[in-house]
Amino acid sequence: HNARQAMNIHEYQAKELLAKFGVPVPAGFAAMSVEEAVAATEKLPGPLYVVKAQIHAGGRGKGKFKELGPDAKGGVRLAKTADEVRAAAADMRGNTLVTIQTGDAGKQVN
């Protein structure tokens, strides 16, 4: 009998694991707060930053946040400055992202 167990890891965790085994991955930092996201801009080359909501679901870029208006951007955003990173992270943190994989309940971005 060959039981299979699904592995639920976030994108940043997968990148860390791949890098550990020598697989090239883009530079990035997991931020657990808006301030950590802003601080990451100091460590990355820029001039373009990608702020991504970390939830266990696909379709984050096309997703919508329940708490934001219908015209708000989804869970993957491009930013050119630390202020834009701050705004994107503040929009995401603590809010509920609804994607094609989450169902109507969505998942909270922590």
Side-chain angles (χ1 to χ4, degrees):
H1 134 61
N2 192 2
R4 293 182 70 180
Q5 179 68 38
M7 184 167 53
N8 249 350
I9 62 175
H10 289 292
E11 179 181 353
Y12 76 91
Q13 293 167 317
K15 284 182 175 179
E16 288 173 1
L17 189 61
L18 290 168
K20 183 177 173 182
F21 289 95
V23 178
V25 294
F29 296 93
M32 303 304 164
S33 70
V34 173
E35 290 310 316
E36 284 183 18
V38 172
T41 64
E42 302 285 323
K43 304 178 215 168
L44 294 166
L48 191 61
Y49 308 100
V50 183
V51 182
K52 295 182 176 185
Q54 295 296 301
I55 62 168
H56 290 296
R60 294 171 294 166
K62 292 181 180 178
K64 293 289 180 188
F65 287 95
K66 280 186 168 187
E67 298 82 359
L68 305 179
D71 295 331
K73 295 178 180 168
V76 178
R77 302 187 187 181
L78 298 179
K80 294 180 181 171
T81 66
D83 284 340
E84 287 180 7
V85 168
R86 179 185 306 282
D91 268 359
M92 294 179 192
R93 186 104 174 99
N95 284 334
T96 308
L97 183 58
V98 178
T99 77
I100 194 166
Q101 289 187 355
T102 64
D104 292 340
K107 293 198 176 201
Q108 186 175 31
V109 178
N110 295 316

